[in-house]
mmCIF file of all heavy atoms in Angstrom:
data_model
loop_
_atom_site.group_PDB
_atom_site.id
_atom_site.type_symbol
_atom_site.label_atom_id
_atom_site.label_comp_id
_atom_site.label_asym_id
_atom_site.label_seq_id
_atom_site.Cartn_x
_atom_site.Cartn_y
_atom_site.Cartn_z
ATOM 1 N N THR A 436 -193.256 4.269 28.551
ATOM 2 C CA THR A 436 -193.404 3.260 29.596
ATOM 3 C C THR A 436 -193.159 1.860 29.035
ATOM 4 O O THR A 436 -192.602 0.991 29.737
ATOM 5 C CB THR A 436 -194.800 3.353 30.195
ATOM 6 O OG1 THR A 436 -195.031 4.680 30.663
ATOM 7 C CG2 THR A 436 -194.962 2.391 31.356
ATOM 8 N N ALA A 437 -193.545 1.638 27.800
ATOM 9 C CA ALA A 437 -193.311 0.321 27.193
ATOM 10 C C ALA A 437 -191.813 0.027 27.104
ATOM 11 O O ALA A 437 -191.391 -1.123 27.295
ATOM 12 C CB ALA A 437 -193.928 0.277 25.781
ATOM 13 N N ASP A 438 -191.006 1.041 26.866
ATOM 14 C CA ASP A 438 -189.564 0.816 26.829
ATOM 15 C C ASP A 438 -189.026 0.478 28.221
ATOM 16 O O ASP A 438 -188.092 -0.315 28.357
ATOM 17 C CB ASP A 438 -188.855 2.067 26.312
ATOM 18 C CG ASP A 438 -189.166 2.315 24.840
ATOM 19 O OD1 ASP A 438 -188.963 1.392 24.034
ATOM 20 O OD2 ASP A 438 -189.647 3.414 24.529
ATOM 21 N N ALA A 439 -189.593 1.108 29.268
ATOM 22 C CA ALA A 439 -189.161 0.768 30.627
ATOM 23 C C ALA A 439 -189.444 -0.685 30.929
ATOM 24 O O ALA A 439 -188.615 -1.395 31.538
ATOM 25 C CB ALA A 439 -189.867 1.675 31.633
ATOM 26 N N ILE A 440 -190.644 -1.172 30.530
ATOM 27 C CA ILE A 440 -190.976 -2.566 30.743
ATOM 28 C C ILE A 440 -190.035 -3.465 29.960
ATOM 29 O O ILE A 440 -189.568 -4.517 30.449
ATOM 30 C CB ILE A 440 -192.451 -2.815 30.357
ATOM 31 C CG1 ILE A 440 -193.367 -1.980 31.264
ATOM 32 C CG2 ILE A 440 -192.797 -4.307 30.471
ATOM 33 C CD1 ILE A 440 -194.828 -2.040 30.863
ATOM 34 N N ALA A 441 -189.740 -3.068 28.702
ATOM 35 C CA ALA A 441 -188.838 -3.897 27.875
ATOM 36 C C ALA A 441 -187.438 -3.964 28.464
ATOM 37 O O ALA A 441 -186.812 -5.019 28.464
ATOM 38 C CB ALA A 441 -188.791 -3.306 26.472
ATOM 39 N N VAL A 442 -186.949 -2.826 29.007
ATOM 40 C CA VAL A 442 -185.633 -2.834 29.637
ATOM 41 C C VAL A 442 -185.640 -3.740 30.858
ATOM 42 O O VAL A 442 -184.681 -4.507 31.070
ATOM 43 C CB VAL A 442 -185.227 -1.397 30.011
ATOM 44 C CG1 VAL A 442 -183.950 -1.403 30.839
ATOM 45 C CG2 VAL A 442 -185.034 -0.543 28.775
ATOM 46 N N PHE A 443 -186.707 -3.693 31.630
ATOM 47 C CA PHE A 443 -186.819 -4.528 32.842
ATOM 48 C C PHE A 443 -186.750 -6.006 32.459
ATOM 49 O O PHE A 443 -185.956 -6.784 33.024
ATOM 50 C CB PHE A 443 -188.115 -4.211 33.547
ATOM 51 C CG PHE A 443 -188.365 -5.005 34.802
ATOM 52 C CD1 PHE A 443 -187.878 -4.559 36.013
ATOM 53 C CD2 PHE A 443 -189.077 -6.189 34.762
ATOM 54 C CE1 PHE A 443 -188.108 -5.280 37.163
ATOM 55 C CE2 PHE A 443 -189.299 -6.924 35.903
ATOM 56 C CZ PHE A 443 -188.823 -6.470 37.117
ATOM 57 N N GLU A 444 -187.561 -6.415 31.500
ATOM 58 C CA GLU A 444 -187.611 -7.840 31.120
ATOM 59 C C GLU A 444 -186.337 -8.265 30.415
ATOM 60 O O GLU A 444 -185.838 -9.388 30.635
ATOM 61 C CB GLU A 444 -188.832 -8.077 30.211
ATOM 62 C CG GLU A 444 -190.161 -7.795 30.885
ATOM 63 C CD GLU A 444 -190.465 -8.758 32.017
ATOM 64 O OE1 GLU A 444 -189.815 -9.838 32.069
ATOM 65 O OE2 GLU A 444 -191.325 -8.443 32.854
ATOM 66 N N THR A 445 -185.789 -7.404 29.576
ATOM 67 C CA THR A 445 -184.558 -7.780 28.855
ATOM 68 C C THR A 445 -183.382 -7.916 29.815
ATOM 69 O O THR A 445 -182.515 -8.769 29.604
ATOM 70 C CB THR A 445 -184.243 -6.719 27.779
ATOM 71 O OG1 THR A 445 -185.396 -6.556 26.930
ATOM 72 C CG2 THR A 445 -183.064 -7.141 26.915
ATOM 73 N N SER A 446 -183.328 -7.092 30.855
ATOM 74 C CA SER A 446 -182.250 -7.232 31.839
ATOM 75 C C SER A 446 -182.293 -8.594 32.499
ATOM 76 O O SER A 446 -181.261 -9.269 32.670
ATOM 77 C CB SER A 446 -182.363 -6.126 32.901
ATOM 78 O OG SER A 446 -182.286 -4.850 32.315
ATOM 79 N N ILE A 447 -183.496 -9.035 32.880
ATOM 80 C CA ILE A 447 -183.639 -10.362 33.504
ATOM 81 C C ILE A 447 -183.259 -11.449 32.509
ATOM 82 O O ILE A 447 -182.590 -12.448 32.861
ATOM 83 C CB ILE A 447 -185.077 -10.555 34.005
ATOM 84 C CG1 ILE A 447 -185.386 -9.500 35.092
ATOM 85 C CG2 ILE A 447 -185.298 -11.948 34.533
ATOM 86 C CD1 ILE A 447 -186.820 -9.526 35.541
ATOM 87 N N LEU A 448 -183.659 -11.288 31.244
ATOM 88 C CA LEU A 448 -183.349 -12.273 30.214
ATOM 89 C C LEU A 448 -181.846 -12.389 29.999
ATOM 90 O O LEU A 448 -181.286 -13.490 29.941
ATOM 91 C CB LEU A 448 -184.052 -11.891 28.908
ATOM 92 C CG LEU A 448 -183.771 -12.805 27.705
ATOM 93 C CD1 LEU A 448 -184.255 -14.219 27.954
ATOM 94 C CD2 LEU A 448 -184.432 -12.236 26.459
ATOM 95 N N LEU A 449 -181.161 -11.239 29.875
ATOM 96 C CA LEU A 449 -179.719 -11.272 29.664
ATOM 97 C C LEU A 449 -178.996 -11.884 30.845
ATOM 98 O O LEU A 449 -178.028 -12.635 30.683
ATOM 99 C CB LEU A 449 -179.222 -9.848 29.400
ATOM 100 C CG LEU A 449 -179.581 -9.240 28.057
ATOM 101 C CD1 LEU A 449 -179.066 -7.803 27.999
ATOM 102 C CD2 LEU A 449 -179.019 -10.045 26.904
ATOM 103 N N ALA A 450 -179.429 -11.560 32.073
ATOM 104 C CA ALA A 450 -178.806 -12.140 33.250
ATOM 105 C C ALA A 450 -178.978 -13.648 33.254
ATOM 106 O O ALA A 450 -178.033 -14.387 33.600
ATOM 107 C CB ALA A 450 -179.389 -11.518 34.507
ATOM 108 N N GLY A 451 -180.172 -14.144 32.890
ATOM 109 C CA GLY A 451 -180.375 -15.585 32.825
ATOM 110 C C GLY A 451 -179.500 -16.246 31.785
ATOM 111 O O GLY A 451 -178.965 -17.348 32.003
ATOM 112 N N MET A 452 -179.329 -15.626 30.632
ATOM 113 C CA MET A 452 -178.462 -16.174 29.592
ATOM 114 C C MET A 452 -177.008 -16.217 30.049
ATOM 115 O O MET A 452 -176.223 -17.042 29.532
ATOM 116 C CB MET A 452 -178.588 -15.341 28.317
ATOM 117 C CG MET A 452 -179.962 -15.407 27.668
ATOM 118 S SD MET A 452 -180.132 -14.220 26.315
ATOM 119 C CE MET A 452 -178.854 -14.819 25.217
ATOM 120 N N ARG A 453 -176.648 -15.372 30.986
ATOM 121 C CA ARG A 453 -175.272 -15.324 31.479
ATOM 122 C C ARG A 453 -175.121 -16.023 32.827
ATOM 123 O O ARG A 453 -174.159 -15.775 33.572
ATOM 124 C CB ARG A 453 -174.826 -13.865 31.578
ATOM 125 C CG ARG A 453 -174.789 -13.166 30.222
ATOM 126 C CD ARG A 453 -174.685 -11.675 30.321
ATOM 127 N NE ARG A 453 -174.634 -11.048 29.012
ATOM 128 C CZ ARG A 453 -174.678 -9.735 28.784
ATOM 129 N NH1 ARG A 453 -174.772 -8.912 29.812
ATOM 130 N NH2 ARG A 453 -174.610 -9.258 27.551
ATOM 131 N N ASP A 454 -176.083 -16.850 33.183
ATOM 132 C CA ASP A 454 -176.015 -17.700 34.389
ATOM 133 C C ASP A 454 -175.990 -16.864 35.673
ATOM 134 O O ASP A 454 -175.217 -17.160 36.592
ATOM 135 C CB ASP A 454 -174.799 -18.628 34.353
ATOM 136 C CG ASP A 454 -174.918 -19.651 33.225
ATOM 137 O OD1 ASP A 454 -176.060 -19.979 32.842
ATOM 138 O OD2 ASP A 454 -173.874 -20.106 32.736
ATOM 139 N N ARG A 455 -176.780 -15.842 35.764
ATOM 140 C CA ARG A 455 -176.917 -15.104 36.983
ATOM 141 C C ARG A 455 -178.369 -14.697 37.170
ATOM 142 O O ARG A 455 -179.038 -14.309 36.223
ATOM 143 C CB ARG A 455 -175.987 -13.896 37.043
ATOM 144 C CG ARG A 455 -175.835 -13.116 35.752
ATOM 145 C CD ARG A 455 -174.737 -12.068 35.954
ATOM 146 N NE ARG A 455 -174.536 -11.243 34.794
ATOM 147 C CZ ARG A 455 -173.458 -11.328 34.002
ATOM 148 N NH1 ARG A 455 -172.509 -12.198 34.250
ATOM 149 N NH2 ARG A 455 -173.326 -10.506 32.964
ATOM 150 N N ALA A 456 -178.803 -14.799 38.419
ATOM 151 C CA ALA A 456 -180.214 -14.533 38.701
ATOM 152 C C ALA A 456 -180.487 -13.059 38.817
ATOM 153 O O ALA A 456 -181.573 -12.591 38.427
ATOM 154 C CB ALA A 456 -180.622 -15.232 40.000
ATOM 155 N N LYS A 457 -179.525 -12.293 39.316
ATOM 156 C CA LYS A 457 -179.734 -10.861 39.508
ATOM 157 C C LYS A 457 -178.972 -10.098 38.427
ATOM 158 O O LYS A 457 -177.760 -10.271 38.262
ATOM 159 C CB LYS A 457 -179.228 -10.426 40.879
ATOM 160 C CG LYS A 457 -179.416 -8.965 41.148
ATOM 161 C CD LYS A 457 -178.884 -8.591 42.517
ATOM 162 C CE LYS A 457 -179.043 -7.110 42.797
ATOM 163 N NZ LYS A 457 -178.533 -6.736 44.124
ATOM 164 N N PRO A 458 -179.661 -9.294 37.641
ATOM 165 C CA PRO A 458 -178.960 -8.498 36.623
ATOM 166 C C PRO A 458 -177.968 -7.543 37.255
ATOM 167 O O PRO A 458 -178.262 -6.863 38.247
ATOM 168 C CB PRO A 458 -180.091 -7.740 35.910
ATOM 169 C CG PRO A 458 -181.334 -8.500 36.249
ATOM 170 C CD PRO A 458 -181.122 -9.077 37.618
ATOM 171 N N THR A 459 -176.787 -7.469 36.687
ATOM 172 C CA THR A 459 -175.779 -6.525 37.130
ATOM 173 C C THR A 459 -175.991 -5.205 36.394
ATOM 174 O O THR A 459 -176.745 -5.130 35.429
ATOM 175 C CB THR A 459 -174.378 -7.050 36.844
ATOM 176 O OG1 THR A 459 -174.205 -7.139 35.418
ATOM 177 C CG2 THR A 459 -174.183 -8.428 37.439
ATOM 178 N N PRO A 460 -175.341 -4.119 36.826
ATOM 179 C CA PRO A 460 -175.433 -2.880 36.058
ATOM 180 C C PRO A 460 -175.028 -3.024 34.602
ATOM 181 O O PRO A 460 -175.550 -2.318 33.738
ATOM 182 C CB PRO A 460 -174.496 -1.937 36.822
ATOM 183 C CG PRO A 460 -174.511 -2.454 38.216
ATOM 184 C CD PRO A 460 -174.614 -3.935 38.077
ATOM 185 N N TYR A 461 -174.114 -3.970 34.311
ATOM 186 C CA TYR A 461 -173.689 -4.163 32.944
ATOM 187 C C TYR A 461 -174.787 -4.849 32.130
ATOM 188 O O TYR A 461 -174.994 -4.522 30.957
ATOM 189 C CB TYR A 461 -172.402 -4.979 32.912
ATOM 190 C CG TYR A 461 -171.257 -4.297 33.616
ATOM 191 C CD1 TYR A 461 -170.899 -4.644 34.913
ATOM 192 C CD2 TYR A 461 -170.512 -3.305 32.988
ATOM 193 C CE1 TYR A 461 -169.858 -4.030 35.581
ATOM 194 C CE2 TYR A 461 -169.468 -2.660 33.649
ATOM 195 C CZ TYR A 461 -169.130 -3.036 34.929
ATOM 196 O OH TYR A 461 -168.112 -2.391 35.586
#
Side-chain angles (χ1 to χ4, degrees):
T436 304
D438 292 306
I440 298 173
V442 172
F443 180 87
E444 298 294 341
T445 306
S446 301
I447 298 174
L448 177 63
L449 289 177
M452 294 172 61
R453 296 166 179 173
D454 294 334
R455 39 187 181 252
K457 180 180 179 181
T459 66
Y461 299 99

